Amino acid sequence: MQIGRRNFLKLSGATIATVALPGTLTANAPEGPPIIDVHMHAYPAATPFPNPIVNPITGAKSPIRNGADHLSACIAEMKRHNVVRGIVSGGDGDRLKAATDWHDRDPDRFVAGAGIRGSADTPLPPLDTLRTAFSTGTLRVLGEVTSQYAGLSLSDPIYEPYLALAEEFDIPVALHTGTMPEGTPFDPCCRTARARLGNPGLIEEVLNRHPKLRINLMHGGWPYLDDTLAMLMLYPNVNIDTGALDWLMPRPHFHDYLHKFVDAGFGKRIMFGSDHMYWPDAIGLAIEGVESAAFLSEEQKRDIFYNNAVRFYKLPGVGSS
């Protein structure tokens, strides 16, 4: 079970607080203009969570006990912060069903993605399954693709038919880039995982084989800044998201990293993502991480929080904020 290998589930001396039950958050009026979160994760309803689950940054204890509680808490947190759309992929178990279950619960709020890996413990789904899901609109994103955890880059031949299918149906790809939680290569699931495989520069041949493919470099390619900037410069069909960086990293470092992309002229290519994983309260922390960036204009914040995702994901029924 994936929760057990997340070392940052352990509390590191933080002051313990208790967060509200999901039902208590829905009574609060939404805060601020609409937001789209392009980096969310779902878990099967019966998936047990640690007791208690503790936010690794704030130390807050959560009352959620399973995947069903997690979904309710995430929806409550989204309503609280006026997160009107979420791109969600499964993070454990039956990943495709976990994502589609979220969409079925609130189809106007969630866009389901196909979380795939390609390792022995998380094999790639049948291509025909994805063809059907893409053609019917059940799944509208290929990703999060966690090839790095399988010890592979997206350029490996095993992903080629999946990328061709995504290009055929104009389905965007959301790719895990950058690094992974501490100790990942020592976990039995991921013995071949390596940091270097998260370098966004490794996808360049994919982009040339599939010139119409839209790719979101999740986690902003951190810490491979120069390689990520190079991909953005050369390939207009590439965007990045702020997932996990905006709440797990020290705030000054995240702001410094984000500032470099904005200074380089890529403010229209950055999308907000929380990558809240098991912690619904991380959605608010991630929003605060971007909102507190003093170097961003209000227009730039609206692009990151909303407008860039509308364009990249071609979201129907959502206009510019």
Side-chain angles (χ1 to χ4, degrees):
M1 181 178 169
Q2 207 171 25
I3 291 175
R5 62 177 176 255
R6 299 281 183 173
N7 284 349
F8 46 73
L9 274 170
K10 300 174 183 176
L11 181 62
S12 300
T15 300
I16 298 295
T18 301
V19 299
L21 288 165
T24 65
L25 295 178
T26 57
N28 298 331
E31 300 174 0
I35 292 171
I36 296 170
D37 188 340
V38 304
H39 195 149
M40 303 191 74
H41 288 298
Y43 305 92
T47 298
F49 279 33
N51 183 14
I53 188 166
V54 179
N55 187 297
I57 299 302
T58 66
K61 290 182 179 180
S62 170
I64 64 177
R65 294 294 178 263
N66 52 44
D69 289 349
H70 177 257
L71 169 55
S72 295
C74 285
I75 290 176
E77 191 75 5
M78 293 172 78
K79 289 180 178 179
R80 177 184 177 189
H81 294 286
N82 205 20
V83 180
V84 297
R85 288 287 175 88
I87 311 295
V88 61
S89 62
D92 202 358
D94 187 339
R95 294 169 186 242
L96 302 190
K97 188 175 187 304
T100 56
D101 282 351
W102 275 39
H103 171 266
D104 293 345
R105 166 77 174 268
D106 194 340
D108 291 331
R109 189 176 300 275
F110 294 114
V111 175
I116 67 171
R117 179 164 296 175
S119 61
D121 73 331
T122 310
L124 294 172
L127 201 61
D128 286 346
T129 298
L130 291 189
R131 176 174 288 277
T132 299
F134 291 158
S135 64
T136 60
T138 305
L139 295 170
R140 292 173 49 206
V141 178
L142 180 62
E144 185 173 0
V145 181
T146 53
S147 50
Q148 185 180 11
Y149 285 81
L152 303 169
S153 79
L154 193 65
S155 297
D156 191 277
I158 72 166
Y159 301 110
E160 183 59 24
Y162 294 86
L163 298 174
L165 186 67
E167 188 176 36
E168 177 185 345
F169 283 93
D170 192 27
I171 296 292
V173 175
L175 174 67
H176 175 96
T177 65
T179 187
M180 299 163 288
E182 180 182 353
T184 296
F186 304 122
D187 189 286
C189 78
C190 311
R191 296 293 293 172
T192 57
R194 296 293 183 269
R196 66 179 182 275
L197 296 172
N199 189 325
L202 296 175
I203 72 165
E204 188 162 18
E205 293 308 314
V206 167
L207 289 165
N208 279 276
R209 288 197 299 269
H210 303 283
K212 297 179 181 179
L213 201 63
R214 287 171 284 145
I215 297 185
N216 170 25
L217 302 176
M218 301 176 110
H219 311 292
W222 184 91
Y224 300 105
L225 173 65
D226 290 343
D227 296 279
T228 306
L229 288 171
M231 293 301 101
L232 290 170
M233 176 63 73
L234 283 177
Y235 301 101
N237 46 333
V238 171
N239 271 25
I240 65 172
D241 78 33
T242 63
L245 306 181
D246 45 21
W247 72 279
L248 279 174
M249 297 186 72
R251 187 63 54 78
H253 185 81
F254 165 62
H255 283 174
D256 180 63
Y257 194 71
L258 179 64
H259 202 173
K260 287 180 168 61
F261 287 102
V262 174
D263 275 355
F266 296 115
K268 300 288 187 182
R269 311 272 290 282
I270 305 165
M271 301 180 293
F272 169 75
S274 64
D275 192 12
H276 56 85
M277 293 172 278
Y278 310 107
W279 305 280
D281 52 328
I283 296 170
L285 295 175
I287 292 170
E288 182 187 3
V290 175
E291 186 63 46
S292 61
F295 55 87
L296 293 175
S297 68
E298 288 305 310
E299 179 182 357
Q300 288 170 329
K301 289 179 183 178
R302 295 316 311 145
D303 283 342
I304 292 171
F305 277 129
Y306 191 88
N307 296 326
N308 295 343
V310 169
R311 287 190 294 267
F312 181 85
Y313 281 102
K314 300 183 179 180
L315 295 175
V318 181
S320 296
S321 67

